[in-house]
Amino acid sequence: MRKAQLLQGNQACAMAAIDAGVRFYAGYPITPSTEIAEFMAENLPKVGGKFIQMEDEIAGMAAILGAALTGVKAITATSGPGFSLKQENIGFAAMTEIPCVIVNVQRLGPSTGGPTAPAQGDVMQARWGTHGDHPVIALSPASVLESYDITVQAINFSEKFRVPVIVLLDEVIGHMREKVILPSPEELTLIERKRTNLPPAEYKPYEADSTRIPAIADFGTGYRWHVTGLFHDENGNPSGKADTIHKQATRLLTKLDPYLEEITLYKSYCTEDADYLLISFGCTARSAAEAVDMARSKGYKVGLLQLQTIWPFPEQLVKEFCTGKKAVIVPELNAGQLRGEVQKVITNQTLSGVNKINGDLITPEEIVMKIKEVAGQC
Amino acid sequence: MLIDVENLMRSHRLPHIWCPGCGNGIIMKAILEGIRESNLDLDKTVIVSGIGCSSRATGYLNFDTIHTTHGRAIAFATGVKLAKPELNVFVITGDGDGAAIGGNHLIHAARRNIDLNVILFNNNIYGMTGGQYSPLTPHGKFATTSPYGNMERSFDICNLVQAAGATYVARGTAFHTKMLIDLIKNAISNKGFSFVEAVTMCPISYGRRNKMGNAPDMLKWQRDNAVNVKAAQKMEPEKLAGKIIIGELHKETAPEYTELYEQLIARFRKGAEGDGQ
């Protein structure tokens, strides 16, 4: 354990990255994510790592992928419009299975929107921002300490599953300062990507065993393999054959399936006897937790499911938590992006949202008002 | 002759997808000759390309290779080189890939003077998408998207890259193969950002539309219109109009980016040792 510190969410995220072994950062400055780049610029060279401020967001994403292929753990951070710019190369990472982490400190959008205004409007962009069907993991912390823990998890997941992992911070969590006691780096459980132990002549870079995750060979170690964003066979050779495309697309799309339980991170509060369930994430989950206490003091049995894993959407978990509840309410700082996913998996419960897209936060009182309204209807 | 470079290729991937008469194979072979004659460690050599005809070359080359997104090869290569400076890093790009969508990465990599060897295949056209004009299509020339003659002026890409800070800049052609190999070897030996424009020919999408004849005619055009840089220095500007100036255009020394970064890291290592004493 370290001593208690007063830290920003962005700082905790950057510290976690270095503690988890990240040794390469490339990015482009954008509010409200800049503190992550600044921390990396100052601290990476001290541990033998590299920081580079690239000429644009696209280059930042490209550079971390090049670096990751040499065997280092690599990360970039951005916000809203910058995240949009990175999407094509995030798709490339998904297609070529390069481990990498993208931190998106969400801001109000669309377009330049509100550079310093909190929002949670990138839920769908995190899932479907790039073209085509592809796997992705997106995690969202709700406190400074979670910002640290979730970033470590993100790096571990990207290494283990060879997928781009997105840390969906929001402006509030990124800029908020809290007293935290972080673990020492040596207390962390870290995962390294599975590297091939075959001789180069026998190595097939995209041949997956029963784990569905192929072993990688670091560039410069004599394997001389080909990486391409085109559909490719097990050897990495481009292919336009329907059979080959189908085989690769299917493996990519299902490669996280055996690991859904491991990937699903969440917290719950007062849910066991609850009649009404709040489902929330990020900064809004904090208002929701407060709303639970306020509503319970007024006699409403309310509980909270805080999702830390947003994608793959934890269908099973949400189903289980919704079972037996009279109504489900999803407070989020967007027009209902997560609520749509909840809608897909619930059956008999009434579903409603508490939503804001004006740069203001959702207050606990507003959530309590919605609980009362819903309770009156039930 | 091919036998010299055969072990540098993924021969099982042949035949290549380039059109009959395309000059890209000549440039690709020149790159391989440059690598072979420079005695580079093949296991420590990475070749990165973008999207387009030229960029498909990485699929045929037996190194660690990345065929990236359109225009982004230099940005990927910057990550490779900075993360592992001991690697020899090449970028294969085209005039559309490198000068249009990738133009920003090109000038900034030159500004940093990061030790990359960029070979830009200039066929004056977007070949893979079927013959649209590129930033290197000369003014007045025809393409599917310049049916009335190209309204835009073209870059002198070598001047652009030199002005941006590259420490080695050269231009060769598919006709002058011996010179092209030498220029690539010089680029490899330069510690810093090296740029070689390799003028090639696209008889299908560019030559045919601009009535330049078949592939041999286009090679002859290169032969007859190329002027060595030393001869060009003595020529009047009007006589140089429409000519291709070939040879070593610019050479200087400047601090190289990854070396500077390694020095920064070393400073902290020293500091750590000092603290321990």
Side-chain angles (χ1 to χ4, degrees):
Chain A
M1 292 289 219
R2 285 168 161 141
K3 283 183 195 161
Q5 289 170 283
L6 185 66
L7 281 183
Q8 246 190 1
N10 280 347
Q11 288 172 326
C13 169
M15 286 176 76
I18 290 180
D19 290 353
V22 165
R23 290 297 177 267
F24 193 92
Y25 180 101
Y28 188 81
I30 180 168
T31 303
S33 75
T34 38
E35 292 84 3
I36 298 173
E38 287 163 356
F39 189 95
M40 290 302 202
E42 185 178 340
N43 292 291
L44 270 175
K46 294 179 186 170
V47 294
K50 313 280 173 66
F51 166 92
I52 185 167
Q53 182 170 306
M54 294 298 284
E55 53 275 9
D56 59 36
E57 295 279 4
I58 300 170
M61 189 64 214
I64 67 163
L65 298 183
L69 283 169
T70 73
V72 302
K73 293 180 183 177
I75 196 169
T76 188
T78 187
S79 297
F83 191 51
S84 303
L85 283 168
K86 291 191 190 304
Q87 290 295 343
E88 186 193 12
N89 282 336
I90 294 174
F92 184 88
M95 182 64 138
T96 57
E97 302 177 68
I98 302 175
C100 60
V101 172
I102 304 101
V103 181
N104 172 15
V105 189
Q106 296 166 92
R107 61 189 245 183
L108 188 63
S111 190
T112 315
T116 56
Q120 298 175 310
D122 299 351
V123 172
M124 283 300 162
Q125 190 183 196
R127 181 65 193 91
W128 297 115
T130 189
H131 54 286
D133 292 302
H134 57 89
V136 76
I137 295 174
L139 309 176
S140 186
S143 70
V144 173
L145 184 59
E146 281 184 33
S147 183
Y148 182 94
D149 292 340
I150 290 285
T151 303
V152 173
Q153 287 280 10
I155 292 154
N156 278 346
F157 286 162
S158 77
E159 289 286 315
K160 179 166 181 181
F161 304 122
R162 291 184 62 182
V163 288
V165 178
I166 292 149
V167 179
L168 270 184
L169 273 163
D170 54 59
E171 190 277 335
V172 177
I173 305 301
H175 280 163
M176 180 174 66
R177 285 182 165 81
E178 285 183 311
K179 179 184 161 187
V180 288
I181 299 172
L182 300 180
S184 307
E186 53 272 16
E187 292 173 66
L188 301 176
T189 305
L190 298 181
I191 296 173
E192 298 289 328
R193 63 193 73 173
K194 185 170 71 184
R195 291 176 166 88
T196 184
N197 50 20
L198 291 171
E202 291 169 33
Y203 176 58
K204 292 182 178 179
Y206 291 100
E207 185 178 54
D209 57 16
S210 59
T211 67
R212 305 191 190 185
I213 317 293
I216 204 165
D218 295 342
F219 269 25
T221 55
Y223 283 84
R224 299 210 232 162
W225 58 293
H226 186 51
V227 178
T228 177
L230 290 163
F231 272 101
H232 43 268
D233 62 20
E234 291 173 341
N235 292 304
N237 295 324
S239 174
K241 287 182 194 150
D243 287 353
T244 310
I245 293 173
H246 177 78
K247 194 177 168 199
Q248 192 203 346
T250 308
R251 182 178 63 77
L252 275 184
L253 274 173
T254 59
K255 81 179 197 181
L256 297 178
D257 289 358
Y259 307 101
L260 290 179
E261 206 178 312
E262 178 184 345
I263 294 169
T264 299
L265 309 174
Y266 68 97
K267 284 182 175 173
S268 62
Y269 181 55
C270 300
T271 53
E272 279 175 15
D273 66 338
D275 293 327
Y276 307 100
L277 180 71
L278 305 176
I279 303 178
S280 199
F281 65 101
C283 66
T284 311
R286 303 169 73 94
S287 295
E290 178 71 17
V292 168
D293 292 342
M294 287 168 67
R296 280 194 174 257
S297 73
K298 293 184 172 72
Y300 298 97
K301 284 187 182 172
V302 183
L304 166 66
L305 171 62
Q306 180 209 329
L307 297 182
Q308 293 174 312
T309 298
I310 308 290
W311 302 111
F313 185 73
E315 293 180 13
Q316 200 51 42
L317 179 86
V318 170
K319 252 185 211 167
E320 283 165 19
F321 269 86
C322 291
T323 304
K325 305 290 186 288
K326 288 180 182 164
V328 179
I329 299 167
V330 182
E332 53 184 330
L333 283 180
N334 60 51
Q337 297 186 23
L338 193 75
R339 185 178 8 130
E341 294 306 302
V342 175
Q343 180 75 69
K344 288 179 191 169
V345 298
I346 64 172
T347 45
N348 299 320
Q349 299 81 8
T350 312
L351 176 66
S352 52
V354 181
N355 304 90
K356 265 192 190 174
I357 50 170
N358 64 354
D360 282 347
L361 294 177
I362 295 170
T363 63
E365 290 79 7
E366 286 166 326
I367 299 171
V368 171
M369 265 170 59
K370 175 60 83 174
I371 295 166
K372 285 181 183 171
E373 183 191 319
V374 168
Q377 292 163 356
C378 283
Chain B
M1 283 299 278
L2 189 62
I3 201 135
D4 294 341
V5 294
E6 214 173 340
N7 69 321
L8 308 183
M9 295 192 66
R10 297 179 176 128
S11 313
H12 64 278
R13 293 275 300 132
L14 299 175
H16 58 67
I17 62 160
W18 294 320
C19 305
C22 173
N24 285 359
I26 301 173
I27 313 296
M28 182 168 75
K29 170 124 189 299
I31 295 169
L32 293 178
E33 288 286 3
I35 289 172
R36 189 180 66 84
E37 292 179 25
S38 300
N39 293 316
L40 294 184
D41 182 343
L42 306 180
D43 287 342
K44 299 280 179 201
T45 299
V46 176
I47 307 184
V48 188
S49 65
I51 296 291
C53 295
S54 63
S55 292
R56 290 301 284 266
T58 44
Y60 309 123
L61 303 178
N62 189 19
F63 300 87
D64 283 322
T65 48
I66 330 177
H67 176 223
T68 70
T69 45
H70 191 32
R72 315 303 169 195
I74 289 175
F76 274 78
T78 297
V80 173
K81 183 68 187 179
L82 180 57
K84 233 180 195 179
E86 67 268 31
L87 299 177
N88 315 302
V89 184
F90 289 78
V91 173
I92 288 173
T93 183
D95 46 316
D97 189 62
I101 187 166
N104 199 31
H105 311 307
L106 178 65
I107 59 175
H108 287 280
R111 174 177 62 79
R112 289 184 193 107
N113 194 33
I114 185 164
D115 188 21
L116 303 177
N117 304 300
V118 177
I119 292 97
L120 184 141
F121 294 43
N122 177 13
N123 64 357
N124 304 112
I125 201 84
Y126 284 87
M128 195 155 270
T129 41
Q132 298 76 28
Y133 72 87
S134 91
L136 299 188
T137 302
H139 179 75
K141 294 293 182 186
F142 295 94
T144 59
T145 47
S146 59
Y148 311 113
N150 185 13
M151 313 274 281
E152 301 181 14
R153 298 191 300 163
S154 60
F155 277 134
D156 180 327
I157 195 73
C158 288
N159 273 350
L160 176 74
V161 173
Q162 180 183 333
T167 46
Y168 184 86
V169 182
R171 184 186 287 117
T173 80
F175 179 83
H176 305 83
T177 49
K178 176 73 178 71
M179 175 195 263
L180 185 60
I181 294 167
D182 287 341
L183 296 175
I184 290 167
K185 278 160 61 183
N186 294 345
I188 291 169
S189 65
N190 174 53
K191 185 77 193 166
F193 189 83
S194 304
F195 181 80
V196 179
E197 178 188 350
V199 176
T200 175
M201 64 284 188
C202 173
I204 304 295
S205 290
Y206 183 73
R208 195 170 47 172
R209 194 172 294 268
N210 286 288
K211 302 193 170 22
M212 295 180 78
N214 56 23
D217 293 331
M218 293 182 83
L219 275 172
K220 283 179 200 156
W221 184 88
Q222 289 175 16
R223 177 193 67 191
D224 298 338
N225 283 277
V227 178
N228 192 287
V229 62
K230 284 185 186 131
Q233 279 160 2
K234 296 172 196 150
M235 286 168 67
E236 298 298 322
E238 53 269 24
K239 286 205 167 167
L240 282 172
K243 300 289 184 194
I244 316 167
I245 301 175
I246 58 171
E248 209 167 271
L249 305 178
H250 175 71
K251 206 175 172 189
E252 65 172 311
T253 52
E256 192 273 329
Y257 184 79
T258 63
E259 281 189 350
L260 289 177
Y261 210 100
E262 293 294 333
Q263 285 165 18
L264 172 66
I265 291 172
R267 232 165 72 192
F268 287 111
R269 286 216 179 100
K270 248 182 218 159
E273 282 161 21
D275 290 345
Q277 282 166 357

